[in-house]
Amino acid sequence: MSKNFRRAGAALFVTALTAASLVACSSEQAPQGGGDGGGESAAASDTIVLGFSQVGAESGWRAANTKSIQDTLTKENGFDLKFSDAQQKQENQIQAIRSYIQQQVDVIAFSPVVETGWDAVLEEAKSAGIPVILTDRAVNSEDDTLYESFIGSDFVEEGKRAGEWAVEQYDGEGYKAVELQGTTGAAPMIDRQQGFADAIAGSDIEMIDSQTGNFTRTEGKQVMEGFLQKYDDIDLVFAHNDDMGLGAIEAIEAAGKVPGKDIKIITVDGVKDGMQALADGKINYIVECNPLLGPDLAEIAKKVVAGEAVEKRIVTQDEAFDQEAAKAALPDRQY
């Protein structure tokens, strides 16, 4: 039995050497695999295969963000975009990122649903040699080598600007405020809440309740309805995005109150529907969060693929609007 085993082993060894030789000859002539596993590499084809995982389609802001990315990362601009919608579920994003790794895309970009729980899949991308770019939202990781760059707004500053305006306008009047939070655990929810709280500290504006509306108009309306049933002395609403603020308007009007007068409303985003409500006096102030991140993402992706150094944190420029500023901006508003 031992002699037969040695003979079989020798035969297998010869077979393996022959196969390896054939594979080596073949691989010298074959093109490198691209983003779909069968195309040319970015260097050979000048086309960057980029896999993007979007949070979802929860708001007007997100729709504008998606459009900016899809309109910019086109074949004409040198990209093969592979796009997925996570429907606001982290497990869907992780699955999409792993799919992009298996496809051997050139770059992975995503807007994280929540801040935590990304290290394992980002380690997988790093091990595969695929650079990762964060857009809109950050991840909470001690290892910042897991991504190349983060492009997005300063959410703490957005909340701070909203709170500072509230203090400037209403401090001294004993206002009772409620807060419509974004998705629990998401970077903009955490940071905007912190920025607003820091800004109103020391004033007599009191935050009496705070609940998540998941950045959607429907849930913003539902939460506001609950607030109105629970409290009869609400003076101010701080909504973490326009859509929840617009939902709050519906609830306030259904309760027989006048939004913008009986109950003041401050939101973040600056999408057209929100800006129109501001121009109409139903919202009192909006801090902008620019969704047009496509051009920045395209620029950073090209630099990363070319091996160029990129900034670790790229902060987009945001404005703020009162009623008159909204009226002036609306005719030329892109989103």
Side-chain angles (χ1 to χ4, degrees):
M1 290 294 292
S2 176
K3 187 181 295 183
N4 290 339
F5 180 80
R6 285 196 297 271
R7 287 173 181 169
L12 285 171
F13 180 71
V14 171
T15 303
L17 281 177
T18 304
S21 175
L22 290 172
V23 170
C25 293
S26 174
S27 65
E28 288 177 358
Q29 300 174 8
Q32 296 294 315
D36 57 4
E40 294 182 336
S41 68
S45 68
D46 291 329
T47 297
I48 296 171
V49 183
L50 188 146
F52 187 88
S53 177
Q54 181 61 282
V55 170
E58 76 281 3
S59 64
W61 190 98
R62 191 64 56 189
N65 179 243
T66 292
K67 186 175 187 301
S68 175
I69 290 165
Q70 291 178 330
D71 287 352
T72 305
L73 275 66
T74 61
K75 292 189 181 298
E76 292 76 14
N77 289 335
F79 289 91
D80 178 3
L81 176 65
K82 299 184 180 298
F83 184 92
S84 64
D85 181 339
Q87 299 179 330
Q88 293 189 300
K89 295 180 180 179
Q90 184 178 32
E91 58 267 30
N92 291 346
Q93 283 198 307
I94 291 173
Q95 182 179 3
I97 292 169
R98 285 188 169 135
S99 173
Y100 295 145
I101 293 170
Q102 291 174 353
Q103 295 174 60
Q104 298 180 329
V105 301
D106 299 308
V107 180
I108 292 172
F110 74 113
S111 181
V113 175
V114 294
E115 282 192 338
T116 59
W118 301 104
D119 282 23
V121 72
L122 293 184
E123 285 281 4
E124 292 171 26
K126 184 178 179 180
S127 296
I130 301 174
V132 173
I133 301 170
L134 307 177
T135 70
D136 174 40
R137 301 179 180 182
V139 298
N140 185 357
S141 174
E142 294 182 0
D143 185 0
D144 67 0
T145 68
L146 296 178
Y147 62 92
E148 299 295 322
S149 184
F150 166 38
I151 307 166
S153 297
D154 184 333
F155 301 135
V156 174
E157 180 63 20
E158 290 170 351
K160 181 182 176 184
R161 292 173 77 179
E164 287 175 343
W165 189 85
V167 170
E168 180 184 325
Q169 299 294 317
Y170 309 125
D171 188 23
E173 299 183 27
Y175 268 26
K176 307 291 186 184
V178 294
E179 183 175 40
L180 297 173
Q181 302 173 6
T183 302
T184 301
M189 173 262 148
I190 295 167
D191 292 351
R192 287 170 187 164
Q193 183 178 48
Q194 177 191 328
F196 192 85
D198 290 347
I200 66 171
S203 74
D204 69 350
I205 297 174
E206 180 187 359
M207 185 64 69
I208 60 174
D209 211 335
S210 182
Q211 293 182 32
T212 180
N214 278 317
F215 287 123
T216 69
R217 192 174 304 195
T218 299
E219 290 191 52
K221 179 182 179 182
Q222 291 171 350
V223 174
M224 191 65 208
E225 287 172 343
F227 285 157
L228 290 167
Q229 292 172 4
K230 189 175 179 181
Y231 308 101
D232 58 7
D233 57 350
I234 298 171
D235 304 296
L236 173 67
V237 175
F238 172 48
H240 288 190
N241 77 340
D242 289 345
D243 278 75
M244 290 189 296
L246 292 166
I249 288 172
E250 295 178 19
I252 291 167
E253 289 178 333
K257 296 179 181 292
V258 180
K261 293 184 178 179
D262 296 333
I263 299 178
K264 309 297 193 296
I265 301 174
I266 300 172
T267 67
V268 179
D269 269 357
V271 298
K272 278 189 176 179
D273 284 354
M275 294 285 279
Q276 187 60 60
L278 176 55
D280 294 341
K282 295 184 177 183
I283 290 176
N284 301 86
Y285 193 67
I286 293 179
V287 178
E288 182 183 45
C289 181
N290 190 341
L292 307 182
L293 304 183
D296 284 332
L297 175 57
E299 180 182 352
I300 297 302
K302 287 179 179 179
K303 287 183 177 179
V304 166
V305 169
E308 299 178 23
V310 296
E311 295 179 57
K312 199 70 179 181
R313 178 69 170 101
I314 298 171
V315 180
T316 55
Q317 297 301 308
D318 299 322
E319 299 182 38
F321 302 88
D322 59 14
Q323 186 177 32
E324 293 306 314
K327 289 178 180 178
L330 266 172
D332 299 318
R333 197 72 175 161
Q334 294 183 53
Y335 54 91

